Structures are given as C-alpha cells and as structure tokens.
Amino acid sequence: MQTDSSFTFVLFGGTGDLSMRKILPALFEAHRAGGMLADSGKIVAVARHVADRAAYIDWVNEHVKPHVSKNGVDETAWASFLDRIEFVKIDLGNPEDFTLLRDALSGRPGIRVFYLATGPSLFVPICHALASVGLNENSRIVLEKPLGYDLKSSNAINDAVGEIFAEEQIYRIDHYLGKEPVQNLLALRFGNVLFEPLWRREWVESIQITIAEELGVEARGDFYDNTGALRDMVQNHLLQLLSIVAMEPPHSMDSDSVRDEKLRVLRALKPIDPRDIGKVAVRGQYHAGVIRGNAVPAYATEPGVKPDSTTETFVALKVEIENWRWAGVPFFLRTGKRLADRVAEIVVNFRAVPHSALGASALRGGANRLVIRLQPNETIRLYCLAKQPGEGMNLASVHLDLAFDRFFREGQMEAYQRLLLDVINGRLALFVRRDEQEAAWRWVEPILNEWAASNKPPKPYAAGTWGPAAASAMLAQHGTCWLEEEN
C-alpha cells in the first residue's frame, strides 16, 4: 500500500458528516501509519460554511478528532496531518467560484483526486464546473452513493459525468467492498483449493447476507423518506456483496477481470415476476420499541418523515442466480434499521451429509457453515461437528476462527482507508463500474415499481426486533431460518 506518488486530494463537502466521521479519519490513519501517503500529498477541503483555513482547522479539531485512533490521538502525528490540509471557500452553486480552486491547484505535481462527499444533485454541476476551469484532466473523481433514484436518473448522472471524465477516472465507492473480511473471502476462495470445489450448488444449501442496524434514520429523515431501504442498501451494498460471494474465479485480480465476473453474476440474477413479489420480498417499517433498554420512537414520528409514510425501513429478499454454479440455491438478503443488533455478515450454509452413522445431528442442515462477519468485529468462522468429550458418540457444533490479530501483527485497515489509498494509487478493482450499477438497478426496479403501485403498507415490526415475522416465514418455506433464530 505504500506509494511515492504525489497527489492533491480535493474534498467537496469538507464540513459534512461523512468527511468528519469517515474520510478525514481514514486519511489521518494512512498518514499516521507512515509511508502510505507521499510526503508531498495535500488535502484541499472545499466548503462554504467556514471563513478560512484557520476556522476550518478549528472545525476539524472539534469534529474529526473524536473519530480517529481508538487508543488516543498521537498529537505529533495529528499536528503533521493538519499541515497537509488546505482550504478553499467555494459556493458550489456558483461555477465562477471554481476559478479559486483552479488557482489553488495550479502547478501542483501528481494526480488530482476529487471526492464528492455531497448530495447526488450536486454531482453533475460540480463536474461541469471542474471541466469549465480545466480540472478534469489528470484527475480522478469519487462518487458516493446514492447515484440516482432509479435506473433513469442513475443513467442521467452517469451520462453527464461520463461526458467529462472517462470511465477509468470514475470511482463509484461502496465501502463494504473495502472491508477486510470481504478481501479475505476472495483469498479463501481463490487462494485455497479447500473451498473452491465446495462453492457450488451441489454442496451449498443456502446463503444469507445481512446488514442490520440498531440506529434509526437519525437526522436523515428527509433524505431517507424519499429513498427507503431497497435503494439505500440493497441496490448497492447487498448486491455488491452477493456478486463477490457468487462470482466465478477471475483471470487475475486486475480491476476489469474482477468486475467482469461480478457483472456476470448481476446479469444472471433471476428477474422477479411482479406477481411473485409477495412471496420473495418482504418490506417493513419500524414502530416504537425498546433497544438495549432505551425506548425509541416509530419511524413515522421521526423528524423529517411524513406521518403517513409508506417508506420501507426493512427489506428481506429471496434471490436466485440462473447459472450452472448456483441454479436452485436460494440467496436470502436482509437489511433494516432499528433491528436487534448492529451486524453485517455472510452465512454460507453447506448441505448435510447424505447419510450419517453418527446420529441425526449430522444430518441437520447448517451443521457445516462458513460465517463471514463484516461488523462490528471482523472475523471468519468455519463451523463443523465434533464429538463431545465423554461417553458415547454425541456431536456438538464447534468453530475454527480466522483471528486476524493473532496471525498478523499489523492492525486491520478500515474500509475507507483502503479505498482512499486505492483511489490515490489508481486501483479500480474495489469500485463499481457503470455496467454493474446499471445491472443492479435493472434488477431492483420491478420491485420498486410494484411496491409503488401497491396500496399495501409495509409490514410493521417493533424496534429492537429482527423485523417482520414474514421475513422468517419466507425462510421457513425453504426449511431454514435466519442465523440468530437458530441460536
């Protein structure tokens, strides 16, 4: 990950929540580690809410410091990191202000990275303004989700950005792809002969992918009520994780080889017939409840949310992939807010043995499984059956842990840190290509359209639970259950 390449990292939305919580802390960790960022590399923050660099540094000290270095801030490293930061005050609604940015960047060596930590409505105006002052050459641009509201609006943004930046300059970020266990999933599959022969329909019974949140919509009610869980999480994060799990071995780990295989998975997703949506898709909305002893309000009473809102805060889907490797294997996707725990995980349930001389427990589905935990603690566990100590042949479930901290002295790299370094170094493999994004929207749209046309409200669930009962019933129809229900 080390680089000698000089760069200028321009951060639009420099005072925003994403910049404070994720982007600047990730850049600080790369800076603190030493050697990951070129000494000559600079960070140029762009915003209009503060007056000058001194005021911006005060803002960073107040809002970024709480999110960096879990074991305390190294003040020497922090001071040298602040030396990297410059500031340009710009009104993004005034294209003429971009001459100030052009002048600030004039004569700087190396690549320019433009990170758009703004609302998607500003993506196209920012790109046009950058091109008007000649800043679209020798540069890379990072686009945060959501990229559009549907396929049409997504294509409109991509068309407009694509007129100014070539596809190899565009980095559509999905931070789940930067998580260490996702990288290790690729390593396990394609670096070891042990798993690859089993990674197919003959040996896999089902796969679950869950991204669950304890938090509600917080201060994002206005945004979320016009978006919903299907757009916010399924179209990007969950389908990207699905494509990583199900992809064929790529020719190499270069950007297009990996993304070609992911695209093949997305194009092989079985289209959902609108008449079957009630059987394979569950949408829910949280009502008032209790999480960890604290009462929380219903979604419809959150600030910025319409009292009669039918926006979903929970989605569970049964997905099928129509190819030779995965035909007939159900993939169950689930995401929601105000659920019982904050967890993101991939569960691969292997089939039971065809005949057991050791008793019925060896025939139970899920006795052998692989659990890739993405958050909160990143681990990979392989579950199998072993004999319990003592008399008789009694079996119990045990697990083998891939504990990164025991094998590797280096600390795990946060997802944003890895992805920002990839942008600076020009590595595209972990970023979403336009045709991937289009394929995901094309598959999701029939569900969106059917829900929009339906008069049925989302199914209610109490905050602090695992969502509507219908999500469990959907799995029960296939003789299985969500992982936490089994435990």
Side-chain angles (χ1 to χ4, degrees):
M1 281 282 185
Q2 291 189 346
T3 178
D4 295 323
S5 302
S6 185
F7 67 92
T8 304
F9 189 97
V10 181
L11 180 56
F12 290 93
T15 56
D17 185 60
L18 179 64
S19 297
M20 299 298 104
R21 290 188 303 106
K22 296 294 185 181
I23 300 171
L24 287 175
L27 289 170
F28 169 71
E29 293 299 339
H31 168 85
R32 185 182 61 84
M36 289 187 174
L37 298 178
D39 291 340
S40 59
K42 293 293 184 181
I43 300 165
V44 178
V46 174
R48 63 182 176 126
H49 297 301
V50 294
D52 52 27
R53 182 182 183 276
Y56 185 72
I57 294 300
D58 288 342
W59 182 278
V60 169
N61 275 318
E62 179 182 353
H63 294 92
V64 177
K65 246 186 174 181
H67 300 291
V68 302
S69 297
K70 299 173 184 176
N71 299 321
V73 178
D74 179 334
E75 292 296 341
T76 301
W78 180 252
S80 61
F81 175 68
L82 294 181
D83 287 341
R84 288 186 185 268
I85 298 178
E86 300 175 7
F87 177 76
V88 179
K89 183 174 183 178
I90 287 180
D91 180 352
L92 298 180
N94 183 8
E96 294 180 1
D97 276 8
F98 280 72
T99 57
L100 301 173
L101 181 61
R102 179 196 62 197
D103 294 343
L105 302 183
S106 178
R108 293 174 182 265
I111 194 73
R112 291 187 296 259
V113 173
F114 298 112
Y115 197 113
L116 274 55
T118 68
S121 63
L122 292 173
F123 290 174
V124 174
I126 290 173
C127 289
H128 281 297
L130 290 172
S132 71
V133 294
L135 290 177
N136 56 321
E137 300 296 331
N138 190 35
S139 61
R140 298 168 187 147
I141 190 158
V142 185
L143 304 179
E144 270 283 350
K145 76 171 186 76
L147 205 65
Y149 184 78
D150 51 20
L151 179 61
K152 182 179 179 180
S153 59
S154 175
N155 281 341
I157 292 174
N158 278 315
D159 286 344
V161 175
E163 291 176 358
I164 297 163
F165 295 93
E167 179 64 28
E168 60 269 19
Q169 293 177 277
I170 303 173
Y171 290 69
R172 300 172 188 86
I173 195 167
D174 186 325
H175 70 276
Y176 275 88
L177 299 185
K179 289 182 176 291
E180 196 75 48
V182 175
Q183 308 303 298
N184 264 300
L185 174 59
L186 294 173
L188 283 173
R189 281 197 60 193
F190 305 136
N192 301 283
V193 71
L194 176 65
F195 288 105
E196 182 55 29
L198 304 179
W199 214 261
R200 57 186 65 249
R201 61 186 299 274
E202 291 86 354
W203 306 110
V204 175
E205 184 177 73
S206 65
I207 294 177
Q208 301 174 16
I209 305 177
T210 293
I211 302 177
E213 299 176 275
E214 284 186 343
L215 294 176
V217 295
E218 306 308 298
R220 300 168 69 229
D222 287 330
F223 161 78
Y224 196 89
D225 207 38
N226 292 304
T227 304
L230 191 65
R231 290 183 177 92
D232 190 42
M233 298 296 291
V234 176
Q235 183 272 330
N236 39 71
H237 297 327
L238 280 167
L239 289 186
Q240 281 294 313
L241 291 177
L242 169 67
S243 66
I244 289 285
V245 171
M247 64 188 278
E248 294 296 319
H251 170 69
S252 69
M253 294 308 292
D254 71 74
S255 59
D256 280 332
S257 293
V258 171
R259 297 190 294 181
D260 285 347
E261 297 304 336
K262 287 163 58 189
L263 177 63
R264 289 189 178 96
V265 172
L266 294 170
R267 287 179 171 171
L269 292 176
K270 182 180 179 180
I272 291 182
D273 189 322
R275 295 170 295 182
D276 294 332
I277 283 179
K279 301 176 184 177
V280 298
V282 177
R283 64 172 178 155
Q285 185 185 102
Y286 66 81
H287 287 200
V290 177
I291 296 180
R292 301 193 186 278
N294 298 313
V296 296
Y299 172 76
T301 64
E302 298 273 20
V305 175
K306 296 185 291 292
D308 59 348
S309 173
T310 58
T311 298
E312 77 283 355
T313 62
F314 175 96
V315 174
L317 300 169
K318 179 203 167 202
V319 179
E320 295 182 59
I321 300 173
E322 297 184 310
N323 62 21
W324 276 48
R325 182 182 290 268
W326 296 114
V329 176
F331 287 72
F332 298 106
L333 311 184
R334 175 177 60 163
T335 186
K337 291 190 174 295
R338 292 294 191 204
L339 297 183
D341 201 1
R342 173 181 175 265
V343 62
E345 64 187 7
I346 300 164
V347 180
V348 181
N349 290 312
F350 294 100
R351 295 189 185 278
V353 296
H355 170 75
S356 174
L358 302 176
S361 59
L363 295 172
R364 187 178 68 246
N368 302 145
R369 64 162 54 100
L370 185 69
V371 178
I372 302 103
R373 176 67 66 91
L374 307 179
Q375 65 183 29
N377 49 338
E378 300 180 343
T379 59
I380 296 179
R381 284 183 172 181
L382 177 63
Y383 288 80
C384 55
L385 293 176
K387 179 188 175 298
Q388 294 187 48
E391 187 179 1
M393 184 58 73
N394 299 312
L395 303 183
S397 179
V398 297
H399 62 263
L400 308 174
D401 254 328
L402 177 54
F404 302 109
D405 56 346
R406 296 180 191 173
F407 288 95
F408 305 108
R409 292 185 178 180
E410 310 92 82
Q412 291 189 47
M413 189 179 293
E414 294 292 335
Y416 267 97
Q417 183 180 344
R418 171 181 287 106
L419 294 174
L420 295 183
L421 289 171
D422 278 0
V423 176
I424 291 169
N425 291 299
R427 294 188 283 258
L428 277 159
L430 299 181
F431 295 85
V432 181
R433 205 167 58 191
R434 176 174 178 169
D435 48 9
E436 292 180 73
Q437 195 172 65
E438 288 182 1
W441 272 121
R442 193 169 288 111
W443 185 82
V444 161
E445 270 208 332
I447 308 173
L448 288 170
N449 293 339
E450 181 64 20
W451 284 351
S454 171
N455 292 322
K456 296 180 181 179
K459 297 182 183 298
Y461 64 96
T465 66
W466 282 103
S472 298
M474 183 172 68
L475 270 69
Q477 292 174 357
H478 296 274
T480 187
C481 63
W482 298 106
L483 182 60
E484 76 280 349
E485 293 173 335
E486 186 170 294
N487 295 333

